Every structure is written in structure tokens, then in C-alpha cells.
Amino acid sequence: MKLLILDGNSVINRAYYGVKPLTTRDGLFTHAIYGFLNILDRMEKQEQPEAVCVAFDLHGPTFRHLQYDSYKATRHGMPEELAQQMPVMKEVLTAMNIPIYTAQGWEADDVIGTVGRICGEEDWECVIVTGDRDSLQLIDDHVTVMLETTKGNIRYDKAKFMEDYGFEPKKLIDLKALMGDSSDNIPGVKGIGEKTAKALLQKFGSLDAVYENLDDKAIKPKQRENLVTYRDNAYLSYDLATIRPNAPIEFDPLDAVVRPYNHQELYNLFVRLEFVKLIDKYHLRGADIEAAPVKADAAPLPRRDSLPDAGTPCALYLAPDGSMGVAWADGVCTVTPLEAMMMADFLAGEGEFVLHDCKSTWHALDHLGLPAPKAVFDTALAAYDLNPSASDYPVSKLATNFLGLNVEDGDPVACAEAVWKLREVMTAELKEMGMEQLYFEIELPLCDVLYRMEREGIAVDRATLDAFGKMLAQRIDDCEKLIYSYSDGPFNINSPKQLGALLFEKLELPHGKKTKTGYSTNVEVLEKLKDRHPIIPAIMDYRMLTKLKSTYADGLMKVIEGDGRVRTTFQNLVTATGRLSSTEPNLQNIPVRTDLGAEIRKMFVPKAGHVLVDADYSQIELRVLAHIAGDKVMQEAFRSGLDVHTVTASQVFHVPFEEVTPLQRRNAKAVNFGIVYGISEFSLAEDLGVGRYEAKDYIDAYLDHYRGVRAYMKQVVADARECGYTQTVYGRRRSIPELKSSNFNVRSGAERIALNTPIQGTAADLIKLAMIRVDAALRERFPEAKLILQVHDELIVECPEAIAPEVAKLVSREMEQVAVLNVPLTAEAKWGKSWYDAK
């Protein structure tokens, strides 16, 4: 029989620091609990124990603190965001029927030692899960330790411990007595480190034996002096490091035998914690589970046998099997796939429909030959706006979080009913959070625009693309031959291990620290070495060429449809800043920085007799920064109509505008855009190839001149830290719980997010508004012209060549007049016979 015991404080600490911060919508941190449950689940699957329990420390001094005032005195207090999760963690374990063992005045280590001792007496196997090496002293014939480390789990039994330490597990106490333990502030013997302590124990066997053999030649004079001087500390440390396996707990392994969860309590806790995926993972959905308290009238709608009258407002949910659920104020019904094929008139009517992910629903209906119904509300889109950092937005999750209802994704009736009820609750939340305008004037109208753009697609010149691919293949072959000439023979260029061995062992180029997997050969490493050996530029060219061929030449060829066009999917429920992304294929990541990469744009062409009109906002994020920050100097730079990077260089480097050098402009441009993303002096130094102090001088000079930007940077972070979120001009919110993290690196990253999100998010809102306006204007004045592509700050329209000048003016005008800021928005439009020519 096997018992699994988790060192609760150790495991939850590892989970807290190992999982990125998560919070519920009302601000409760949950990531430590989530990580703890993942570790527990992994260990249960791995060990298959008959019994499971957890030991926790209790607040207050232990007998060790009373024995030694400085015991653990150097430890920092528990972070507040972890402390708030501890009681909830224990509630979850209680609902899982997992016993918790504690003892006032004793540590969890002693409780675990007591459990291990009793298991041995009862002939049970005991597996301890911990990140604390102190527990290794408990290893015996019945007890093993699963040590959680940054490099993964290490299973320690007696043999493994002997292999690593060279003495029996119990002697770990003697080791700590000699070397001390800084984490627990156990003093040990001054001047005796781990290496020396291990050597002494391996030779003499115990602390007592070391002191009995102080005259042995193996002990150096200085070590002997320290051992004599700090003898009392050594034996005090021995006592402090000893785990006492006689804690006052009532424990029987049978009390911890795995039992069924209390499904109702665990379900309600997971609803509160918004662990929707865990609800499914733990199989907590079912008829025997009563609904948690709801936030709206969740009384079941009566089941109907037929559809409502045409024009009746209703919710529609299209299941994967082609069946539909339709819910309205007076009932809900299901429609079979065959019946759904006959719903064209119902869907095309004047009724108002509530949908879940309307754009995907429209495409699915389109494949069935059915019209796209008018969407007055989209529950997935609303969920995204309310929480843009969530990983996904299935109906089941929304029903749980907003309604407290149990819904299985794919159930047409249950999902349609949930979608119908979600509208009221989510509309109220959007209003409460000040996002009604964002949702109803930007996000929802944009879905219709994106749907038509996805249907339209963009044409690709197959013959030119094929020739491009063949050219790349030849250049890749030439690159390989060149690389092999420097390596004295073929090897796998795509293998970091083989490449690292060649570069850093055979060619003896300078390298960073070697890891277990080998040397790093990433782009940053190669960039630093490009002037050290001619093989490096060849490798960089090879990687660039193979990327272009596989992703674009070959990748695009695979997705060209029968009409010669490719159709991307614009993801409007993904990015935390509100920007659109593009997938299958990704047309927003076409390379433009290299001449060869830019060639790919030549493959995208209009249909016969048409041209592509390309309009691009000029420096929209910098203009948004000038507006939001209220920086008068930066605003005047934009109003002047001069090149803002040259203006910045002139002002920051104190040279006349006409005397700014290309290098000064480049550096000013890097600082301009770097400030938007909260760039550090270290990163700027890397970008510019200058020293850190020089980069710091650039940033300081910039902020001294643009004082409004400096003030904005401080204020926006402070505001976000106080309220827990940041927002755009149009009210788009992004929660940033990491701002309260006790981890400096995590907190610094969160501060950059707080700085950048209002800027990048507002720019995203503006381009979305521009898409809506451009689309509406084209449909009214030039219906033969189609908006077909959006790439960040760039819009591409396909139109008859004869009207290109007028269309270009219209697109520029609508983009520039989309909003009134304190600086002008400018958008230049060009046209040509390919995307490349239109740029």
C-alpha cells in the first residue's frame, strides 16, 4: 500500500512562483492553487497511491524558534497574493476529501516525518512530495522523496541518495550541522561549505566522528580552528536541522485512503475560482450537481417543439454535428441537421439574433448554404472584451462564470439557452465596466466586416510563387555547400547540438554557458559572432532562406484555393491588447525588412482589371502616445508636418534639424518606438549596438525633453497598480494582476504592459474603427471595391483600376478622420498591380 503526502507550503510556493499570475474577475489570485492542483494530479497519476494527504505549517513560532531566536529570521514574509490563496487551497483539499495535517508549534517537516514513521510501522510505502531537501533525511526502506526542482522531479530513495551524497540519508542532519542552511538561518560552522562538509562526512561518517578526529591530517588547520571555535553552533545546528517524527497528530494511513470528492463543494469552489477547465477535468458536471448561485434568472426555459415566429428575437447555437439550438423569451427548441437546412427564411428574416462567436457561426452556416443572420449580440466577443487575457471562451465556461449553470459544449439546447441568458448579464457587465461603446460601436460591427473580408480573400500569383520557391531552393543548396566547405563535410545544420559542437568546439568560437542540451545557437548568439567567422553569415542566410521557403513559398502554395485566392482568418478573440491577428495563413507576418522577404508581397495580386490600394497609418502609436500623454512638445512635432524622428533627434541631440545625421535619426527612431514598449536601457543598447550607459543617456535625454511622456509613464503604471487594470481611450480594459507580484522580473514586465497597452490598444481600436468606416463608405460609393486585408496599421482594398485614385482618396480620408486627437492622423494611400507595388 502506498501513501502520497505533499509538503503543502513547499508545493504551493513552487506553484506560486512557477505559474504566471491568474486572478478571477473580482481580483482573487488563483495561480498558486491552480499550480498546486496540477502538481497533485501529476503525482497521483505517476504514483497511483491508495492514500493521499497534505501537511501544512501553521502561523506562529515553533519549538525551534523558541530554541534559537534567529531561526528562519532572514526569510521574507509570505507575499500577500499567496497568503490570500492559502485558506482557499485548504477549502479545495477539504472538498476533495484529502486530509490536512498540522500541529501548532511544530513544522510541516515534523508532521511529514511523523506520517512517514507511522507508515513504516504499518508497512506502508510513503512518498513525500516536496521542494525542500530537508526531507531527504527521512528516506528509509519505506520512505522515498519526490524532490521538485527547477530541472524537474528527482526521485530519491536510499540508493539515489547514497549515489549523490556518499553517505546515508540520516546523515543529512550532520551535513546541515557542519555547513549550516542560509534559507533557515541555521548557522553551522563558519568557513565550512557544502563541499568540505560532504568530504568530512564521507571520511569520518558523522558529526561526532569529525570532532573525535580533529587531529586527523585530512582536516586543514583553518578548518580545525573553525570547528573548535564554532562547536556549539554545530551541535545547535544539528538539533535545529533534525526533523522530529513525533508530532502530536492523530494519523492512520487508512484515514487518508482516496475517497470520492465532495462534488458539490468542489464544483462551487471551482466556479468561484473560475477553474472551468478543471470542472471538466474532474468530471464535476452532471445531473447530480446542483447549480451554484446564479447572477441572473436561470429558471429553465420550457422546451418547445417548433421555432418561434419569424422576427422573434432569439439566440442561436450551431452544434458541431450540424444541429441547432434556438432559445427565446418563451422557450427553447432543437433543430436537427436536416431541419436546419430548411431554415433559410427564418435566418434571413428581420429577427435579432444572439450568437456565440458570430463570425465562425456565419462561416459554418455559409458552408451549409444558409444565410448569415443579423447578430445583435455575440457572447464570445463580450467575454473577450470583459477578459481579454483568457485562453478561450466556450459557452460552458461563460455559463459557469456568469450564470452558475452546468452546460456541456456541443449540447445545442443547453448552449442556446445559456447564450440567450448570457446576453442580459454580459450587457450589464459591459455597462458597469464602461465598455458599451467599445463593444457596440467597434467590436460587434467589425465582425460583419471581417466576415466579408475572410470570404473575399486575396489572389496569389501561383506561377510567380512557384518560381520564387525554386529560386529559394537553389540558394539554400548553395548556402549548404558553403557551410559544409567551412565545416569539412556535411552535418545537420538544423540540429542545435551538432551546430553548437561545430561552432564552439571544432571552430572554437566564443560561446555562452553550456547547458545539458548543449550550446545556444539562437539568433542573438549568431548575431554577436557574425564578424568572427564567415560560416556565421552563411548560417544566418540559410535560416532566413529555409524560413521563407517553408513558411511562405511552400506554405502559401498549399492554401491557394481553386479560384486562385487565399483566405486568412482574422482572430478577434485572441490578443490581450485588442489587435487583430491572422492565421491559416498568417498574412500579418509577411517579412518586409529584407529585400528578399519583401519580394513575397509581389505574389499577392488583384484580379484582372483591378489594382490593390494600400493605405497605411503613419506612426499611429507615437501619435496616440502624444495624445494620451498630453505632451505639448511631441504634439507640436507632429503638427509641424516634419519627420518626427528627425525632429526628435534634433531636439534630443541638440543639433539643427537639417544637420541631423542618419545615425542620429536611427537612434531617435529606436528610442521613439522603444519608449512606446517600455524598453529598458539594456534592450536599447542591444538594439543600437551601443553601451548600456550610452543607451541610458539617450533615454534620459528623450524623457528630459518630452516631460509629458515621462509623467505619463509614471502615472499610467501607478494608476494600473492601484485599480488592477489599464485601459484604452475607448475603454478597452486589460487586467494586470502581475503588477502586485513580489517577483521583480514579473512586476517589471507587468509595468511595461501597463505602459504599452493603452497605446497599442488605442491604436488597435482606431484601426478597427477605420475598417468599419472604410467598409461602409466603399459599400455606399464604390460597391465594386472590397476591403480584403488588414495588417496592423495598414488596409488593403481591391478595386477596378479605373477608380483607384478615387478609392485611394476615400480610404485615406476615412482613416484620417476616424477620430479627433490632439495630433493629426495621417494615412497615405498608393495603388499598384501587386501588394509590393502598392507599397
Side-chain angles (χ1 to χ4, degrees):
M1 302 284 278
K2 181 190 292 187
L3 177 136
L4 184 73
I5 182 168
L6 278 72
D7 181 344
N9 290 78
S10 173
V11 172
I12 201 167
N13 264 282
R14 296 193 68 79
Y16 171 76
Y17 288 106
V19 178
K20 82 168 190 175
L22 302 170
T23 64
T24 60
R25 287 181 299 119
D26 58 4
L28 173 67
F29 283 90
T30 61
H31 55 296
I33 301 171
Y34 187 82
F36 187 105
L37 291 174
N38 282 339
I39 293 173
L40 172 61
D41 180 66
R42 171 164 48 83
M43 296 309 306
E44 285 186 310
K45 288 177 178 175
Q46 178 178 310
E47 297 298 324
Q48 297 292 308
E50 282 77 23
V52 179
C53 61
V54 180
F56 279 105
D57 289 320
L58 291 176
H59 185 68
T62 67
F63 62 85
R64 292 182 180 85
H65 293 90
L66 299 177
Q67 181 181 0
Y68 180 53
D69 288 343
S70 297
Y71 181 66
K72 293 189 176 182
T74 55
R75 287 202 176 179
H76 297 294
M78 183 181 292
E80 174 57 31
E81 58 266 37
L82 173 56
Q84 68 175 235
Q85 298 179 68
M86 291 295 286
V88 186
M89 181 74 254
K90 293 176 182 179
E91 288 183 57
V92 170
L93 291 171
T94 300
M96 296 174 75
N97 281 319
I98 295 177
I100 296 172
Y101 293 98
T102 60
Q104 191 67 55
W106 297 66
E107 293 184 58
D109 284 350
D110 303 307
V111 172
I112 291 169
T114 304
V115 168
R117 173 183 62 79
I118 295 173
C119 281
E121 293 170 356
E122 298 293 327
D123 201 27
W124 276 61
E125 178 185 356
C126 178
V127 178
I128 300 168
V129 179
T130 183
D132 187 352
R133 288 182 178 268
D134 289 347
S135 293
L136 296 178
Q137 65 182 270
L138 300 173
I139 295 170
D140 59 24
D141 291 337
H142 289 86
V143 176
T144 59
V145 172
M146 187 62 67
L147 192 68
E148 296 265 334
T149 75
T150 55
K151 297 179 180 179
N153 292 343
I154 304 175
R155 175 182 286 279
Y156 274 100
D157 55 13
K158 291 173 70 174
K160 172 63 175 173
F161 186 92
M162 286 290 294
E163 177 186 337
D164 281 9
Y165 286 84
F167 44 81
E168 63 178 329
K170 197 70 175 174
K171 298 303 180 183
L172 181 68
I173 306 170
D174 304 68
L175 182 71
K176 289 289 183 75
L178 289 166
M179 63 178 278
D181 185 342
S182 59
S183 67
D184 289 341
N185 205 35
I186 294 176
V189 175
K190 184 178 179 180
I192 303 292
E194 182 176 9
K195 184 177 179 180
T196 300
K198 278 186 177 181
L200 291 172
L201 288 177
Q202 288 164 2
K203 179 170 178 62
F204 299 111
S206 69
L207 178 67
D208 287 340
V210 169
Y211 276 99
E212 290 167 2
N213 292 276
L214 287 177
D215 294 331
D216 194 286
K217 294 180 180 179
I219 300 177
K220 297 177 181 179
K222 185 60 178 177
Q223 293 172 352
R224 183 180 299 111
E225 179 185 339
N226 285 338
L227 284 166
V228 171
T229 303
Y230 298 103
R231 179 188 181 104
D232 289 345
N233 276 0
Y235 280 95
L236 170 65
S237 299
Y238 183 96
D239 207 34
L240 293 172
T242 301
I243 292 177
R244 307 292 201 276
N246 57 341
I249 61 172
E250 294 185 9
F251 172 76
D252 186 318
L254 294 176
D255 294 337
V257 168
V258 174
R259 291 183 290 157
Y261 308 140
N262 184 323
H263 283 65
Q264 181 63 65
E265 288 186 16
L266 190 59
Y267 172 82
N268 288 341
L269 279 166
F270 282 178
V271 168
R272 174 185 168 195
L273 296 168
E274 298 178 8
F275 288 168
V276 176
K277 288 185 178 179
L278 293 188
I279 289 174
D280 294 323
K281 181 177 181 179
Y282 285 78
H283 307 293
L284 300 179
R285 299 189 188 277
D288 60 323
I289 302 175
E290 298 176 6
V294 298
K295 300 178 183 178
D297 179 14
L301 294 172
R303 271 38 180 176
R304 305 295 188 187
D305 296 327
S306 60
L307 293 171
D309 294 336
T312 301
C314 63
L316 184 147
Y317 177 85
L318 182 62
D321 65 0
S323 62
M324 287 188 196
V326 181
W328 63 103
D330 298 323
V332 61
C333 72
T334 184
V335 180
T336 68
L338 183 60
E339 292 169 332
M341 300 295 289
M342 299 180 284
M343 289 181 61
D345 290 342
F346 179 77
L347 297 174
E350 294 300 316
E352 296 182 345
F353 289 84
V354 181
L355 305 177
H356 183 78
D357 191 357
C358 61
K359 186 160 65 70
S360 295
T361 301
W362 289 332
H363 282 302
L365 292 170
D366 191 40
H367 286 308
L368 296 173
L370 294 172
K374 177 183 178 182
V376 295
F377 199 83
D378 181 333
T379 51
L381 190 65
Y384 165 72
D385 282 344
L386 291 169
N387 183 14
S389 298
S391 58
D392 56 7
Y393 307 94
V395 175
S396 59
K397 177 188 287 189
L398 307 190
T400 297
N401 290 348
F402 289 91
L403 302 172
L405 291 176
N406 256 326
V407 172
E408 292 280 355
D409 287 311
D411 180 336
V413 172
C415 286
E417 184 174 359
V419 168
W420 175 253
K421 292 177 177 178
L422 281 166
R423 178 187 182 181
E424 178 184 354
V425 178
M426 300 181 92
T427 299
E429 291 226 8
L430 288 167
K431 182 176 182 179
E432 182 180 342
M433 294 175 69
M435 286 196 283
E436 281 185 300
Q437 179 189 13
L438 172 75
Y439 182 80
F440 289 107
E441 295 183 16
I442 301 179
E443 298 284 54
L444 193 58
L446 183 69
C447 291
D448 192 45
V449 178
L450 295 175
Y451 167 65
R452 289 195 301 276
M453 290 170 64
E454 290 173 355
R455 291 188 67 188
E456 199 68 34
I458 185 170
V460 174
D461 186 332
R462 187 188 294 268
T464 305
L465 182 61
D466 182 61
F468 183 67
K470 290 176 180 176
M471 180 272 292
L472 290 175
Q474 181 59 54
R475 291 188 58 170
I476 290 168
D477 186 60
D478 293 341
C479 239
E480 285 181 342
K481 291 175 181 176
L482 179 60
I483 292 168
Y484 295 155
S485 72
Y486 294 124
S487 64
D488 295 330
F491 68 101
N492 185 356
I493 304 172
N494 296 313
S495 166
K497 185 175 182 181
Q498 292 185 34
L499 182 60
L502 168 69
L503 298 180
F504 307 122
E505 294 177 6
K506 186 174 182 178
L507 299 180
E508 298 182 340
L509 293 173
H511 58 82
K513 185 177 180 181
K514 186 178 181 182
T515 66
K516 288 199 302 183
T517 56
Y519 302 97
S520 173
T521 60
N522 62 24
V523 65
E524 290 82 7
V525 171
L526 295 186
E527 187 68 33
K528 293 176 182 178
L529 297 174
K530 64 183 179 182
D531 297 326
R532 303 296 293 263
H533 195 286
I535 196 175
I536 302 297
I539 291 168
M540 295 173 73
D541 284 347
Y542 172 85
R543 287 183 174 178
M544 181 268 291
L545 292 166
T546 53
K547 172 71 172 179
L548 287 176
K549 187 174 187 302
S550 63
T551 303
Y552 299 106
D554 298 340
L556 283 173
M557 192 67 76
K558 294 176 182 176
V559 294
I560 299 176
E561 299 183 21
D563 60 357
R565 300 175 82 86
V566 296
R567 291 172 171 84
T568 187
T569 297
F570 292 102
Q571 301 289 353
N572 60 335
L573 305 174
V574 174
T575 68
T577 59
R579 296 183 74 169
L580 297 172
S581 60
S582 165
T583 58
E584 298 179 344
N586 182 357
L587 298 183
Q588 293 194 336
N589 202 30
I590 302 294
V592 293
R593 293 187 178 180
T594 63
D595 292 340
L596 195 57
E599 287 282 309
I600 296 170
R601 294 199 174 202
K602 291 182 179 179
M603 316 303 160
F604 294 92
V605 296
K607 58 189 175 184
H610 287 59
V611 293
L612 296 180
V613 175
D614 186 310
D616 196 353
Y617 273 124
S618 172
Q619 301 155 343
I620 187 171
E621 291 187 353
L622 284 178
R623 293 171 189 269
V624 168
L625 171 61
H627 173 79
I628 293 178
D631 192 296
K632 303 301 182 183
V633 177
M634 182 177 283
Q635 289 174 5
E636 183 55 37
F638 279 114
R639 291 194 195 102
S640 71
L642 299 173
D643 176 73
V644 71
H645 302 310
T646 304
V647 171
T648 297
S650 171
Q651 295 168 338
V652 169
F653 298 123
H654 307 293
V655 296
F657 179 88
E658 60 276 4
E659 294 180 18
V660 170
T661 67
L663 178 60
Q664 288 173 326
R665 183 188 183 278
R666 183 174 73 88
N667 289 349
K669 181 177 180 180
V671 179
N672 265 332
F673 286 116
I675 289 293
V676 172
Y677 291 93
I679 197 169
S680 67
E681 58 198 48
F682 176 80
S683 297
L684 182 63
E686 289 279 304
D687 290 347
L688 298 180
V690 300
R692 180 176 175 182
Y693 291 109
E694 185 175 352
K696 183 178 186 298
D697 288 343
Y698 288 157
I699 293 175
D700 289 344
Y702 180 97
L703 295 177
D704 282 343
H705 189 74
Y706 293 127
R707 296 181 181 276
V709 173
R710 182 194 291 275
Y712 162 77
M713 292 174 68
K714 292 180 179 179
Q715 191 62 47
V716 72
V717 173
D719 290 346
R721 183 176 288 112
E722 181 178 349
C723 65
Y725 64 86
T726 191
Q727 64 182 11
T728 70
V729 169
Y730 290 91
R732 183 185 302 279
R733 285 193 187 185
R734 181 179 182 180
S735 296
I736 317 176
E738 297 92 339
L739 283 169
K740 296 181 179 179
S741 173
S742 56
N743 182 295
F744 174 79
N745 290 333
V746 172
R747 191 170 62 253
S748 297
E751 290 172 356
R752 288 192 291 273
I753 291 173
L755 170 65
N756 169 248
T757 295
I759 302 166
Q760 192 177 102
T762 298
D765 294 340
L766 287 170
I767 192 70
K768 287 179 173 180
L769 272 172
M771 293 171 72
I772 294 168
R773 289 188 52 156
V774 166
D775 176 75
L778 288 175
R779 295 174 74 192
E780 178 183 350
R781 291 197 54 200
F782 304 108
E784 62 272 47
K786 308 290 184 184
L787 178 61
I788 59 173
L789 197 59
Q790 182 262 10
V791 179
H792 305 314
D793 308 327
E794 179 181 354
L795 297 184
I796 295 98
V797 173
E798 184 177 53
C799 73
E801 186 171 5
I803 61 172
E806 295 174 90
V807 169
K809 289 179 182 177
L810 179 148
V811 175
S812 291
R813 182 178 65 251
E814 295 298 331
M815 292 177 69
E816 292 177 348
Q817 296 179 1
V818 73
V820 178
L821 304 182
N822 292 325
V823 294
L825 289 173
T826 61
E828 184 180 6
K830 299 178 181 179
W831 63 90
K833 285 293 187 178
S834 72
W835 189 2
Y836 181 91
D837 295 334
K839 289 294 290 180

